[in-house]
Amino acid sequence: MAARKSADKKPSKSNTSKEELLDHYREMLLIRRFEEKAGQLYGMGLIGGFCHLYIGQEAVVVGLEAAAEEGDKRITSYRDHGHMLASGMDPKGVMAELTGREDGYSKGKGGSMHMFSTEKHFYGGHGIVGAQVPIGTGLAFADKYKDNGRVTFTYFGDGAANQGQVYESFNMASLWQLPVIYVVENNQYAMGTSMQRSSSTPDIYKRGEAFAIPGEAVDGMDVLAVKEAGLRATEHCRAGDGPYILEMKTYRYRGHSMSDPAKYRTREEVQKVREERDAIEHVRELLLQGKHASEDELKAIDKDIKNVVNDAAEFAKNSPEPAVEELWTDIYA
Amino acid sequence: MATEVLMPALSPTMEEGTLAKWLVKEGDEVASGDILAEIETDKATMEFEAVDEGIIGKILIDEGTEGVKVNTPIAVMVEDGESVDDIAAPAANEDDAKDSAPKETDRPDGDKAPAQPTRQSAPPETDIPEGTDMRSTTVREALRDAMAEEMRADDTVFLMGEEVAEYQGAYKVSQGLLDEFGARRVIDTPITEHGFTGLAAGAAMGGLRPIVEFMTFNFAMQAMDQIINTVAKTRYMSGGQMSCPIVFRGPNGAAARVAAQHSQDYAAWYAHVPGLHVVMPYSASDAKGLLKTAIRGDNPVIFLENELLYGQSFDVPEMDDYTVPFGKARIWREGEDVTIVSFGIGMKYALEAADALAEDGITAEVIDLRTLRPLDYDTVLNSVKKTNRCITVEEGWPVASIGNHLSATIMERAFDYLDAPVINLTGKDVPLPYAANLEKLALVTTKEVIEAARAVTYR
């Protein structure tokens, strides 16, 4: 067991295929364009309530999905649109849930923060900070009980990392050697409170040490580094060695939610990350530099993605509101 | 001076026990701290130590004697040179001992507190075939049997909680389950209610059927967010895709002299929440039949037991698969003059009151709701339409109680049938005090039920 820091280490790019890079590019771009569209629809009043955008953090979920196998599970907080798209859920169904319509994944009854897909092994979408951590641990418990070789990616943020139930979960996961990967998406701000103002120690990946859980810090803006770390973690879990912690150093470009004016940080800070560390730009450069794709080919991909997102938005606008009878369904079996 | 050694109370609710074994004999010298005997309670076998030094003058209760009441003299200790013959017959002192020492296990029953747990026999259930053999079973055994039967039938059912496995259950409810089902399915958890409740939610979403034992429901407060925000709401929030079929069970309500933080009735709290089923059995047959239904169902269930009822025996039908449906109240006793509605431990007071009222010619119809969500409104309303009077009995606090909700329902749906206001008998609006006299005053009593029945019948 050792906590290690791999954030500064650049992964080798030679063994990453052209197809793989293009897949990462497409998936990250889909998330970004989808979220931009969701932001627009929110501004138009078509999406209500809380809406937490994933823009900036795309490499985390895309890299880890590349390390996952069929049947692996994932669960996250309310900043969940990216996870759903990356797990293969239909953008139309996700967007229709955002607009509260009957074709949404939860028939319009869950909204942005509460969406699920049994088919894609996506277990939500949870609105209470940190609550998904023991639940994800329980999903892993079920896998171990069934001895099916599956792992669960349990995502939470730097804010949730200060919830007590996280450490209750660490203890049980290590005690019972559960196949769960705790993915800390450290975007540096818990709503408006920075890490240094909320956390006594800066390295969340080391917080498993007390429970003998190995952890590592990862450059969460580098999709290839994320994937490699994900493979190390899944291998550890599948070997029956218990839980693993990955702290993804990432950044969100938008506010905590749509209604957050983000006065707690400077425009310059955000701009600097966008210019220097953007995950999509990084892969774009790799594709162009490696002559894997031309500008025109990338433009064509951009156009495809834009169409997918526009179709999803149109679908979500036109899907009817849930029938009034739905008020009373799905409470009991 | 010779002193009596009394049968000790070894738990807050112990009323009697078995003197399993003497580890000393007459004439032995003992020092403080020496083990005198092994005493078996309904929960465990405990060693009983000498408090003072002395010589065992006489053993009054033979080993192997069952049902020895707390505070009964079991031996006499003498000092050096003293003769046992000098001592007065211990039987003469027995009553004194009982009167002077306030029994830790006394229940606040008003004037009619029976010393013995009453063995109630209920009218037969309509769904039990005629001629079915009945077996006297404690609530504790009935709960264990229900879990064991369902675990045999379905490998996805497992039990987790604090001390459920190797300790055999803090209240011995899970006794024997580890031996039969092994550590994969009977799991001791760390003391981590919030965490293991969330873990159970995930396990349920992942296709298992957890039974989560809370050592008492007081500790479930630590897990309230997971119970309400995750477990109760997942089916709705996921548009019916996922659910959390978990049974949360354990003792609820006041035990005996464990004071404010360990004595609380959560019936009304959980009954407030759509998405949960809430069950609170009184008898052993209901405990068994309802728990089997709970484990088998696809909904989350809050199953509220009562420590004081664990050791009480009731007839349970000997059937391969005895289940009791949710949402069906049980009429324990038919009557014409007043309807008494209760559930759980409240039934004890309701039935005792009905007995007393009958002596005065007032016949009470006593209804055990059994499940609070779903709630069998029709049985209550039909009874009220017949008796025109209703009182409700529960241990929880008065504000926003189950009784309040029933009163409102009766007002809305049977207003013209009422000949008197509905009276809600509840625990008092205070944290439960420790002092024996204050504890009695804080809890609902049989006497209060009798008085309320007289008030609504104007007799």
Side-chain angles (χ1 to χ4, degrees):
Chain A
M1 199 282 296
R4 59 182 162 185
K5 190 170 163 77
S6 64
D8 304 327
K9 207 171 53 193
K10 281 283 168 197
S12 86
K13 290 144 203 161
S14 56
N15 57 0
T16 305
S17 71
K18 170 186 169 181
E19 284 69 33
E20 214 177 327
L21 282 173
L22 282 170
D23 281 348
H24 295 337
Y25 183 73
R26 269 192 213 98
E27 282 162 22
M28 290 195 291
L29 201 62
L30 171 65
I31 293 171
R32 183 158 303 179
R33 297 286 172 262
F34 181 96
E35 294 290 66
E36 287 165 355
K37 180 61 78 179
Q40 280 173 25
L41 296 189
Y42 191 91
M44 294 161 70
L46 285 160
I47 296 173
F50 292 130
C51 183
H52 309 86
L53 302 182
Y54 196 62
I55 295 173
Q57 301 179 211
E58 297 91 343
V60 175
V61 76
V62 169
L64 289 178
E65 285 296 335
E69 289 180 7
E70 176 54 34
D72 288 346
K73 300 180 169 77
R74 60 282 287 165
I75 184 168
T76 188
S77 71
Y78 43 79
R79 195 177 306 285
D80 55 356
H81 311 160
H83 302 72
M84 294 187 274
L85 297 174
S87 71
M89 289 167 67
D90 182 356
K92 289 180 176 168
V94 178
M95 197 69 96
E97 188 61 38
L98 296 184
T99 55
R101 306 301 172 90
E102 74 170 23
D103 294 304
Y105 267 96
S106 296
K107 303 187 208 165
K109 301 201 289 194
S112 165
M113 299 184 285
H114 315 111
M115 260 184 268
F116 306 79
S117 168
T118 32
E119 187 200 347
K120 298 295 180 190
H121 312 289
F122 178 74
Y123 289 84
H126 292 267
I128 305 297
V129 174
Q132 76 276 17
V133 180
I135 303 170
T137 310
L139 289 166
F141 177 94
D143 286 334
K144 170 134 186 177
Y145 191 95
K146 295 174 182 172
D147 194 19
N148 63 11
R150 301 274 61 90
V151 306
T152 298
F153 293 90
T154 299
Y155 295 84
F156 57 100
D158 46 294
N162 292 324
Q163 285 277 27
Q165 57 186 322
V166 170
Y167 302 95
E168 298 188 27
S169 301
F170 282 6
N171 182 45
M172 288 185 287
S174 181
L175 182 68
W176 296 329
Q177 294 284 284
L178 303 180
V180 54
I181 300 166
Y182 295 110
V183 184
V184 187
E185 296 195 67
N186 181 357
N187 64 21
Q188 302 174 41
Y189 292 93
M191 200 170 146
T193 305
S194 65
M195 265 292 282
Q196 72 209 57
R197 291 203 299 123
S198 64
S199 296
S200 56
T201 50
D203 295 318
I204 300 172
Y205 71 98
K206 289 181 181 167
R207 294 193 189 176
E209 283 178 6
F211 305 93
I213 305 175
E216 56 179 289
V218 183
D219 180 357
M221 305 301 274
D222 178 348
V223 70
L224 303 179
V226 171
K227 184 191 168 187
E228 287 200 355
L231 287 172
R232 283 192 293 276
T234 51
E235 196 183 334
H236 175 90
C237 285
R238 280 191 235 283
D241 294 335
Y244 203 89
I245 296 169
L246 295 175
E247 180 185 354
M248 299 292 172
K249 304 282 192 190
T250 183
Y251 199 79
R252 73 170 144 75
Y253 297 172
R254 297 292 187 94
H256 166 72
S257 70
M258 290 302 294
S259 49
D260 172 16
K263 300 281 194 206
Y264 43 83
R265 60 185 184 186
T266 61
R267 277 183 174 280
E268 290 70 30
E269 178 185 309
V270 181
Q271 199 51 35
K272 192 169 151 59
V273 179
R274 274 179 177 275
E275 281 168 12
E276 295 175 6
R277 295 181 63 206
D278 187 75
I280 297 175
E281 276 307 311
H282 170 63
V283 174
R284 190 183 156 82
E285 276 166 29
L286 291 178
L287 282 165
L288 291 173
Q289 280 166 11
K291 312 262 186 243
H292 297 308
S294 66
E295 287 276 4
D296 284 349
E297 283 168 317
L298 294 183
K299 260 185 199 153
I301 292 174
D302 292 3
K303 205 177 153 201
D304 283 350
I305 301 270
K306 207 170 245 178
N307 286 337
V308 169
V309 169
N310 284 338
D311 287 352
E314 278 310 298
F315 178 83
K317 286 184 210 167
N318 295 323
S319 171
E321 289 189 311
V324 291
E325 292 77 26
E326 282 296 333
L327 180 66
W328 297 104
T329 65
D330 303 321
I331 300 165
Y332 295 101
Chain B
M1 205 189 87
T3 48
E4 287 174 340
V5 178
L6 304 180
M7 182 73 169
L10 296 170
S11 81
T13 54
M14 176 177 165
E15 293 180 2
E16 59 179 40
T18 299
L19 211 166
K21 193 177 177 188
W22 278 109
L23 298 171
V24 292
K25 56 183 189 300
E26 289 176 3
D28 281 0
E29 249 181 76
V30 296
S32 165
D34 285 355
I35 300 163
L36 300 179
E38 283 180 0
I39 289 167
E40 206 178 303
T41 71
D42 54 355
K43 286 184 226 160
T45 301
M46 314 267 285
E47 289 173 341
F48 177 43
E49 294 176 3
V51 181
D52 294 315
E53 57 178 23
I55 297 160
I56 302 293
K58 193 168 177 57
I59 284 175
L60 303 171
I61 305 281
D62 293 333
E63 66 179 31
T65 308
E66 291 177 16
V68 183
K69 296 267 175 292
V70 168
N71 280 337
T72 306
I74 56 175
V76 180
M77 301 249 289
V78 293
E79 287 171 18
D80 207 10
E82 205 177 15
S83 161
V84 186
D85 300 333
D86 303 341
I87 307 159
N93 290 345
E94 192 175 337
D95 289 340
D96 292 347
K98 274 190 175 168
D99 289 345
S100 57
K103 270 209 305 180
E104 214 177 337
T105 47
D106 261 359
R107 295 293 305 148
D109 291 336
D111 297 333
K112 289 185 64 70
Q116 270 280 80
T118 333
R119 196 171 285 197
Q120 303 282 356
S121 26
E125 293 261 24
T126 47
D127 44 1
I128 299 174
E130 227 171 291
T132 303
D133 287 339
M134 303 296 272
R135 188 166 66 91
S136 177
T137 309
T138 63
V139 171
R140 173 181 284 114
E141 292 161 344
L143 292 165
R144 193 262 323 275
D145 292 349
M147 287 191 282
E149 287 177 24
E150 294 307 302
M151 288 176 78
R152 277 172 213 136
D154 182 353
D155 182 65
T156 65
V157 178
F158 71 96
L159 172 67
M160 67 188 297
E162 293 155 9
E163 311 290 9
V164 298
E166 296 195 5
Y167 196 91
Q168 305 291 327
Y171 296 97
K172 244 182 176 176
V173 174
S174 57
Q175 191 165 33
L177 295 181
L178 176 65
D179 289 345
E180 179 172 356
F181 299 102
R184 173 174 169 261
R185 299 181 66 195
V186 184
I187 300 157
D188 280 326
T189 64
I191 302 172
T192 187
E193 280 84 6
H194 197 180
F196 70 64
T197 301
L199 186 144
M205 288 184 198
L208 303 183
R209 290 180 171 272
I211 304 169
V212 174
E213 176 173 309
F214 289 119
M215 191 180 288
T216 79
F217 262 93
N218 302 289
F219 313 144
M221 295 288 277
Q222 297 258 9
M224 209 54 150
D225 175 65
Q226 290 289 358
I227 297 172
I228 311 298
N229 262 326
T230 304
V231 173
K233 297 177 183 173
T234 293
R235 182 181 293 279
Y236 198 78
M237 295 191 303
S238 68
Q241 281 189 79
M242 283 178 198
S243 64
C244 293
I246 306 171
V247 178
F248 295 105
R249 49 153 292 273
N252 166 71
R257 305 289 309 283
V258 290
Q261 292 183 330
H262 287 72
S263 312
Q264 193 162 322
D265 174 13
Y266 290 93
W269 291 55
Y270 290 111
H272 189 64
V273 184
L276 297 178
H277 279 159
V278 182
V279 181
M280 192 153 159
Y282 168 59
S283 72
S285 60
D286 285 345
K288 183 175 183 188
L290 289 165
L291 185 54
K292 282 167 67 76
T293 301
I295 296 167
R296 225 174 267 189
D298 290 323
N299 296 300
V301 180
I302 304 291
F303 198 93
L304 302 168
E305 300 161 7
N306 190 295
E307 191 191 331
L308 299 168
L309 295 175
Y310 279 152
Q312 306 234 354
S313 295
F314 297 80
D315 285 342
V316 174
E318 299 234 85
M319 291 165 66
D320 286 343
D321 192 18
Y322 176 65
T323 59
V324 173
F326 288 178
K328 198 164 156 273
R330 180 179 194 173
I331 299 172
W332 275 75
R333 184 182 178 121
E334 293 191 352
E336 302 297 325
D337 300 322
V338 56
T339 299
I340 305 178
V341 185
S342 190
F343 48 93
I345 189 86
M347 283 300 296
K348 184 168 180 291
Y349 315 126
L351 290 169
E352 284 169 9
D355 282 345
L357 290 164
E359 285 171 19
D360 295 339
I362 300 172
T363 66
E365 182 142 300
V366 183
I367 297 173
D368 180 358
L369 291 173
R370 302 199 289 194
T371 64
L372 304 173
R373 207 178 235 284
L375 202 152
D376 185 356
Y377 297 103
D378 289 344
T379 295
V380 174
L381 290 165
N382 289 337
S383 177
V384 171
K385 286 175 184 175
K386 181 173 75 173
T387 65
N388 311 111
R389 293 154 168 98
C390 184
I391 58 182
T392 64
V393 185
E394 68 197 288
E395 197 179 84
W397 285 315
V399 178
S401 63
I402 298 289
N404 288 173
H405 173 64
L406 283 174
S407 302
T409 306
I410 293 166
M411 183 187 70
E412 285 171 15
R413 293 173 61 185
F415 185 76
D416 290 337
Y417 292 90
L418 283 177
D419 286 344
V422 178
I423 293 180
N424 297 150
L425 294 168
T426 64
K428 309 305 180 292
D429 206 8
V430 298
L432 200 78
Y434 169 70
N437 63 329
L438 297 183
E439 184 189 51
K440 280 187 187 184
L441 290 170
L443 292 165
V444 66
T445 64
T446 302
K447 192 170 166 221
E448 288 171 336
V449 181
I450 295 167
E451 282 165 3
R454 289 191 201 285
V456 296
T457 53
Y458 309 108
R459 287 154 80 170

